[in-house]
Amino acid sequence: LKIMLVAQDVTDREGIVRLEEANGYKSLLMSTVAHELRTPLNAIIAMLECLNSELGEPRASELVRPALDSSKLLTHLVNDLLDYGQIAAAKLTLVFQRVDLRLAVAETLTLLSAQAGKRGLQLLVNVENEVPELWCTDPNRLRQIIVNIVGNSLKFTKKGSITVEIKLLHPKCVRFFVRDTGIGIKEQDLPRLFQTFVKLDSKESLRLNSQGTGLGLMISQQLALLLGPNDNDGIHVESEFGVGTAFSFLLENKKPMEEED
């Protein structure tokens, strides 16, 4: 008679389960807090904008403007935290619809043109003639990616230009490029670029991006994975320190929501 005893150490497995549960609660808490903060912040911004337009006096406007800018910055952070919580909980929803791709890009860059002008930078766009007029994607999430990448280039470009380019790879896929003539990124820093809450710690980077949270590019990376083909790697980065940086990502022509089974 032979008796075989089998022992299995479940300590690690139980620890993993507890960590997953804790991470889920953390994401839920973050999303809930961010959602609750967004409504009063929007009200504060609306009231400050009204106050700024009513006062009219330069001195009064100087006092209101910092509060308004700070409120908008905080709202942007809250929105990033809300997206981060949804991504972590795998609850981020996309709405695919047909849009005029050229118009969508032009309208997005219009939002950034004033900032580029203040910095004395050229903001250029080049769309290949072969790119179809209509494209099916989530326009709000595409806008978010472009704003994050171009906005990042604006922070780190002292002179020159930022160029957005769209090339057709095949009828179902285009590649977006964002090229800048900024300070560039050191090769050893590239792997850290899309990590959560990570900011490049060179003195120049910290000086130019003192208020960044390290969430924008991470969120854009996750959105690029969702808007591109199933086997895509998200945002690709090439950079030469002191010369400039080129970001690129794929955008697939998706199926409209109303046509899905």
Side-chain angles (χ1 to χ4, degrees):
L1 177 64
K2 293 183 178 180
I3 299 176
M4 180 179 293
L5 297 177
V6 179
Q8 183 176 2
D9 186 359
V10 297
T11 304
D12 290 343
R13 183 179 299 176
E14 292 175 351
I16 291 173
V17 171
R18 286 196 295 270
L19 286 173
E20 289 177 344
E21 290 177 349
N23 191 55
Y25 289 132
K26 179 188 70 175
S27 298
L28 178 61
L29 176 63
M30 188 178 297
S31 296
T32 302
V33 172
H35 182 75
E36 293 300 323
L37 284 173
R38 190 160 56 174
T39 299
L41 276 172
N42 286 335
I44 291 171
I45 290 173
M47 295 303 295
L48 285 172
E49 286 179 337
C50 289
L51 183 61
N52 190 49
S53 62
E54 289 292 330
L55 291 175
E57 299 178 7
R59 176 56 182 162
S61 181
E62 288 177 8
L63 296 174
V64 173
R65 177 55 57 184
L68 183 58
D69 291 343
S70 296
S71 298
K72 290 181 177 180
L73 179 65
L74 187 54
T75 301
H76 181 71
L77 173 59
V78 166
N79 289 334
D80 279 350
L81 288 173
L82 187 59
D83 284 337
Y84 173 73
Q86 291 176 333
I87 289 171
K91 293 184 178 179
L92 188 70
T93 57
L94 299 174
V95 179
F96 296 120
Q97 54 185 304
R98 289 190 178 90
V99 296
D100 184 325
L101 193 57
R102 288 174 174 79
L103 180 61
V105 172
E107 289 177 345
T108 301
L109 294 181
T110 298
L111 300 174
L112 300 162
S113 59
Q115 185 180 351
K118 287 180 181 179
R119 297 178 63 86
L121 301 172
Q122 287 185 298
L123 188 54
L124 309 172
V125 60
N126 179 30
V127 183
E128 279 188 345
N129 293 331
E130 293 79 7
V131 174
E133 179 179 351
L134 294 180
W135 200 263
C136 187
T137 187
D138 185 321
N140 292 324
R141 296 304 183 180
L142 173 60
R143 183 182 302 113
Q144 190 173 356
I145 296 174
I146 296 173
V147 168
N148 276 330
I149 296 179
V150 175
N152 195 71
S153 291
L154 285 169
K155 292 177 186 176
F156 297 106
T157 303
K158 298 178 183 179
K159 61 181 180 179
S161 63
I162 294 141
T163 303
V164 178
E165 188 174 4
I166 310 176
K167 292 186 176 182
L168 182 69
L169 300 184
H170 55 77
K172 289 290 184 179
C173 189
V174 296
R175 180 175 286 278
F176 273 73
F177 295 88
V178 178
R179 298 185 175 94
D180 66 52
T181 57
I183 64 172
I185 304 168
K186 294 180 180 178
E187 186 176 355
Q188 62 267 28
D189 288 331
L190 289 175
R192 303 172 56 236
L193 204 57
F194 301 109
Q195 294 178 10
T196 308
F197 298 113
V198 168
K199 295 171 63 177
L200 303 186
D201 52 9
S202 70
K203 291 183 180 180
E204 186 71 356
S205 295
L206 292 174
R207 185 182 69 81
L208 294 173
N209 188 29
S210 59
Q211 295 180 322
T213 61
L215 279 176
L217 285 180
M218 185 282 295
I219 291 172
S220 296
Q221 167 73 345
Q222 298 303 313
L223 293 177
L225 289 169
L226 294 171
L227 295 185
N230 292 333
D231 58 348
N232 86 97
D233 297 324
I235 299 174
H236 179 71
V237 186
E238 294 181 359
S239 186
E240 184 177 350
F241 189 65
V243 177
T245 304
F247 294 84
S248 69
F249 63 93
L250 299 176
L251 187 71
E252 187 178 41
N253 199 358
K254 300 288 187 179
K255 189 176 182 181
M257 304 293 288
E258 63 269 16
E259 294 181 11
E260 292 185 356
D261 296 332

